[in-house]
Amino acid sequence: MDDLDDDDLLRYSRHILLEEFGIDGQARVSAAHALLVGAGGLGSPAALYLAAAGVGRLTLVDDDTVDLTNLQRQIAHTHARVGAPKVASAAQAMREINPQLDVRTVQARAEGALLARLVADADVVLDCSDNFRTRQAVNAACVAHARPLVAGAAIRFDGQISVYDLRDAASPCYACLFPPDAQFEETRCAVLGVFAPVVGTIGVLQAHEALKLLAGMGGGLTGRLLMFDGRASRFDSVGVARDPHCRVCGHRPAA
Ligand SMILES: [Zn+2]
């Protein structure tokens, strides 16, 4: 879907009315390819918003199936689709909103040659995964192929999001902040719980940043980590800098 037809002009009219976005932004979004790693709590709202907003090509990768315990927050899935692959369930929800999109599904773990190929083929990558190993693998692939990465995370009442735009020499990568060899305690929703709207908040912000990147609007979260404290309903952000000794991206030319 590269050219906007009359139906598109109606469907996306509220975007086209936006001075900063306009018909050019919508055309760029419609011609773009977004890769979503993870079709769970973060991936569900992100995928639904990207589909509604008309990202022309969307690829979902996730190896998991829908479980009853997911439905409290993973809003792309339904009670009737418990047991179905998450990528198939989310793709069905996306097509019901916007049937003309090219939605592709990969039911596999995002790693290795598969991940490298998917990232190289994407214009923007959304890390909606739930574990440190996948986050590091996605970041390494985005560094290798210089693809912008929108990474989100949420647990209990806390969420965070940043944009690592590897086309910008000054931008850190995910590993500049969270080195792969550091000992982080893996925090999982299955053990600690997660307040449903917190994953929604972060997932929607991931779609928000991805759409701005695809439309060429800039002005996003590159070089800044945005944190959501769901108990106090407060956002805070801190500047984050590139680590010249980063093991993953230290070889990139300096800004
Ligand atoms: Zn780095």
Side-chain angles (χ1 to χ4, degrees):
M1 189 179 72
D2 292 349
D3 298 315
L4 300 177
D5 61 22
D6 287 350
D7 279 351
D8 295 332
L9 296 178
L10 285 174
R11 180 184 283 269
Y12 305 120
S13 55
R14 277 23 171 206
H15 264 170
I16 291 167
L17 284 167
L18 296 170
E19 197 178 320
E20 304 89 336
F21 196 86
I23 197 159
D24 291 341
Q26 189 64 48
R28 279 194 280 268
V29 164
S30 296
H33 177 205
L35 171 66
L36 288 104
V37 179
L42 300 170
S44 285
L48 295 180
Y49 265 102
L50 293 183
V55 176
R57 207 170 128 212
L58 293 144
T59 300
L60 300 171
V61 52
D62 194 310
D63 66 347
D64 205 4
T65 53
V66 179
D67 183 87
L68 186 60
T69 62
N70 299 149
L71 298 182
Q72 161 253 19
R73 64 198 178 283
Q74 301 187 13
I75 60 167
H77 310 307
T78 64
H79 189 82
R81 296 201 287 268
V82 168
K86 284 189 180 178
V87 288
S89 170
Q92 181 177 340
M94 294 157 79
R95 292 187 185 112
E96 282 169 1
I97 295 170
N98 204 339
Q100 59 193 327
L101 303 179
D102 179 2
V103 180
R104 302 181 190 190
T105 60
V106 182
Q107 192 188 358
R109 203 176 168 88
E111 59 191 3
L114 169 73
L115 178 60
R117 178 172 59 78
L118 292 172
V119 166
D121 196 35
D123 299 304
V124 68
V125 179
L126 290 84
D127 182 359
C128 304
S129 70
D130 65 353
N131 67 88
F132 195 58
R133 196 177 86 176
T134 300
R135 290 177 194 290
Q136 293 293 346
V138 171
N139 176 63
C142 287
V143 170
H145 297 282
R147 294 293 188 269
L149 168 63
V150 183
I155 193 79
R156 290 182 290 212
F157 283 88
D158 300 309
Q160 65 180 43
I161 172 178
S162 189
V163 172
Y164 307 95
D165 192 343
L166 288 312
R167 302 164 302 179
D168 175 351
S171 170
C173 84
Y174 179 82
C176 291
L177 278 67
F178 306 101
D181 48 4
Q183 294 298 314
F184 288 104
E185 196 179 342
E186 190 84 74
T187 53
R188 302 195 64 106
C189 300
V191 181
L192 297 173
V194 61
F195 196 53
V198 173
V199 289
T201 301
I202 301 300
V204 168
L205 283 170
Q206 287 184 265
H208 179 90
E209 292 303 314
L211 284 171
K212 289 195 301 177
L213 284 165
L214 293 176
M217 286 177 62
L221 279 176
T222 304
R224 199 155 55 86
L225 182 69
L226 182 66
M227 293 166 293
F228 177 56
D229 173 351
R231 290 182 191 81
S233 294
R234 197 192 316 269
F235 284 100
D236 283 303
S237 69
V238 291
V240 289
R242 185 177 163 187
D243 175 2
H245 304 295
C246 172
R247 274 177 42 197
V248 178
C249 78
H251 63 278
R252 293 154 63 210

